[in-house]
Amino acid sequence: MRIFLFFLIVSLSGISSGQSLTEQEQQLYDLVMAYRKKAGLPAIPVSKSLTKVAHMHANDLVKNNPVHGECNLHSWSDQGDWTPCCYTSDHAQARAMWDKPRELTSYTGNGYEISHQHSAMATPEGALKSWQNSSAHDDVIMNRGIWKKHKWQAIGIAIKGNYAMIWFGDLADE
């Protein structure tokens, strides 16, 4: 009986897969989908693989803080089972970001990340507002500009501490 209750509690809390969305992450997903819907854009299915990548990156940012010097929020530390990357504003390391889903999961497509940091605590509303106020990030969400040719088929979301991130993918997550 105790084992059954343990598994039930773990399953309901989302810990078992590690890839389900928390309440805050679901709220961010819902806000982003409502924002897209107002523009006549379709909803994007949640991807377990891209959510796993988002969670891994959020944990790396919180635990290892690879953001320093010219390295921005798309950077990954050398403290995990991934290829480290100092992502700079010139996007010279874009391939390192695009490859992360293939490196860390069975997802076969590229991953495109938008990230948010708040000095106190990241919130769904604050993250979306900051992305809406940045034309480059808003374009990713709304498939405008250089992102117009992309038809997002998968999305992964993470919020942890000061950080929120969304990973977008062109391919459906099998």
Side-chain angles (χ1 to χ4, degrees):
M1 180 68 167
R2 281 190 218 168
I3 292 173
F4 171 77
L5 287 175
F6 172 77
F7 284 114
L8 178 63
I9 291 167
V10 167
S11 295
L12 291 174
S13 69
I15 295 171
S16 62
S17 72
Q19 309 325 308
S20 58
L21 299 179
T22 66
E23 187 175 320
Q24 271 198 319
E25 293 163 352
Q26 182 67 49
Q27 186 179 2
L28 178 55
Y29 173 80
D30 293 342
L31 288 170
V32 170
M33 293 309 112
Y35 179 52
R36 287 176 53 85
K37 184 177 181 177
K38 284 183 187 175
L41 296 170
I44 307 165
V46 174
S47 158
K48 285 186 178 186
S49 296
L50 294 181
T51 297
K52 178 179 180 177
V53 175
H55 284 177
M56 290 176 81
H57 196 201
N59 287 329
D60 185 42
L61 288 167
V62 168
K63 291 178 184 175
N64 303 312
N65 190 23
V67 180
H68 52 79
E70 293 184 19
C71 303
N72 66 29
L73 286 177
H74 301 303
S75 299
W76 290 70
S77 77
D78 62 358
Q79 301 299 308
D81 292 331
W82 52 71
T83 304
C85 169
C86 174
Y87 197 101
T88 55
S89 60
D90 63 3
H91 305 286
Q93 298 297 322
R95 174 68 45 205
M97 182 204 341
W98 300 341
D99 288 345
K100 280 296 180 257
R102 280 187 296 279
E103 180 182 345
L104 300 172
T105 71
S106 61
Y107 188 78
T108 59
N110 287 344
Y112 305 95
E113 179 188 51
I114 59 174
S115 298
H116 163 76
Q117 180 181 21
H118 190 277
S119 59
M121 188 68 68
T123 65
E125 299 85 359
L128 179 58
K129 187 172 186 92
S130 75
W131 292 323
Q132 288 171 322
N133 289 330
S134 164
S135 61
H137 294 97
D138 197 42
D139 285 352
V140 176
I141 296 170
M142 302 303 284
N143 295 108
R144 291 191 299 245
I146 64 170
W147 304 101
K148 188 173 187 167
K149 66 180 181 181
H150 294 271
K151 302 298 181 220
W152 302 133
Q153 300 296 313
I155 191 170
I157 297 176
I159 297 177
K160 182 164 181 136
N162 303 47
Y163 303 98
M165 56 254 329
I166 297 178
W167 283 76
F168 294 90
D170 288 329
L171 301 178
D173 193 0
E174 299 300 325

